[in-house]
């Protein structure tokens, strides 16, 4: 269980707040929420063959939290980077006990990603070739607006919040901010 998943990775601070609810919008207490995403340069921990080499033994930007009585879980992380062919996103999984209820992705309004990628040196690349935004990412387009977090700028970073709605114990009906 890790709520602060930064592990010293450079990037713009992001407080990610998720709430898990059932189809009647009642909070689900005790669900495990796993999140993972790439760093500012587009590298995922846990995999070989990345720009930074073999990262299979690393756990940066990966964590899990159990939802509280209000169905909420929170993570301290950084704004996700991008890699060729994908917009900025965070992966998530919701589990109850050993049951995997939902696996999905969280997307962010492009205006925030553009500001981060264009202005902050941690996200700089030799080339922006292959950088795309939400309207060009097939997964983001299919997911729709319900998969977008509501983002606000706060002192020292961004805060993103999203409600993850579960239809029943078998899967998702909706994810909305």
């Amino acid at each position: 269980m890790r709520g602060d998943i930064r592990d010293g990775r450079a990037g713009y601070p992001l407080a990610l707040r998720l709430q898990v609810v059932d189809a009647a919008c009642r909070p689900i207490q005790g669900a495990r929420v796993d999140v993972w995403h790439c760093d500012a340069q587009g590298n995922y921990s846990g995999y070989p063959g990345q720009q930074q080499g073999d990262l299979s033994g690393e756990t940066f930007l990966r964590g899990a939290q159990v939802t509280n009585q209000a169905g909420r879980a929170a993570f301290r992380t950084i704004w996700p980077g991008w890699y060729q062919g994908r917009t900025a996103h965070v992966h998530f999984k919701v589990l109850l006990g050993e049951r995997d209820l939902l696996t999905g992705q969280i997307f962010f309004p492009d205006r925030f990603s553009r500001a981060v990628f264009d202005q902050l040196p941690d996200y700089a690349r030799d080339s922006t070739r292959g950088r795309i935004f939400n309207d060009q990412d097939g997964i983001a387009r299919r997911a729709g607006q319900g998969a977008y977090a509501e983002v606000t700028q706060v002192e020292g970073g961004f805060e993103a919040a999203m409600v993850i709605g579960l239809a029943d114990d078998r899967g998702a009906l909706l994810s909305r901010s």
Side-chain angles (χ1 to χ4, degrees), residues 10-14 39-41 78-82 88 108-125 131 133 151 153 157-158:
Y12 197 71
L14 174 66
D39 68 7
Q41 293 295 303
I78 62 169
W79 192 263
W82 63 274
F108 306 94
D110 283 338
R111 71 181 181 276
F112 294 102
S113 292
R114 287 182 194 281
V116 168
F117 298 157
D118 292 344
Q119 298 174 26
L120 300 173
D122 294 330
Y123 295 84
R125 308 279 181 84
R131 182 172 81 176
F133 292 96
V151 178
Q153 185 143 19
F158 289 132

Side-chain angles (χ1 to χ4, degrees), residues 6 11-13 19 37-38 47 49-50 74 79 81-82 91 105 110 115 127 131 154 164:
R6 297 171 294 175
Y12 197 71
Q19 183 181 33
H37 65 87
C38 68
Y47 291 99
Q50 307 263 338
W79 192 263
W82 63 274
H91 299 266
Q105 294 179 29
D110 283 338
S127 168
R131 182 172 81 176
V154 295
I164 301 167

Side-chain angles (χ1 to χ4, degrees), residues 3-92:
D4 185 342
I5 62 175
R6 297 171 294 175
D7 290 331
R9 294 314 261 200
Y12 197 71
L14 174 66
L16 181 61
R17 304 195 192 299
L18 304 174
Q19 183 181 33
V20 179
V21 299
D22 65 16
C25 292
R26 292 180 301 239
I28 298 176
Q29 181 178 2
R32 190 179 91 205
V33 179
D34 296 354
V35 297
W36 65 98
H37 65 87
C38 68
D39 68 7
Q41 293 295 303
N43 297 292
Y44 279 96
S45 64
Y47 291 99
Q50 307 263 338
Q51 287 177 297
Q52 294 179 342
D54 185 352
L55 300 173
S56 30
E58 302 287 329
T59 59
F60 61 84
L61 305 176
R62 293 178 178 276
Q65 290 287 288
V66 175
T67 57
N68 65 16
Q69 189 174 13
R72 293 191 174 112
F75 299 89
R76 291 180 64 197
T77 187
I78 62 169
W79 192 263
W82 63 274
Y83 50 92
Q84 190 161 357
R86 291 303 316 276
T87 190
H89 62 281
V90 172
H91 299 266
F92 73 90

Side-chain angles (χ1 to χ4, degrees), residues 120-159:
L120 300 173
D122 294 330
Y123 295 84
R125 308 279 181 84
D126 292 335
S127 168
T128 57
R129 186 169 179 237
R131 182 172 81 176
I132 67 170
F133 292 96
N134 297 328
D135 63 339
Q136 301 164 307
D137 185 302
I139 296 170
R141 282 196 321 266
R142 282 191 305 278
Q145 289 302 309
Y148 284 71
E150 184 175 313
V151 178
T152 54
Q153 185 143 19
V154 295
E155 187 174 331
F158 289 132
E159 185 173 286

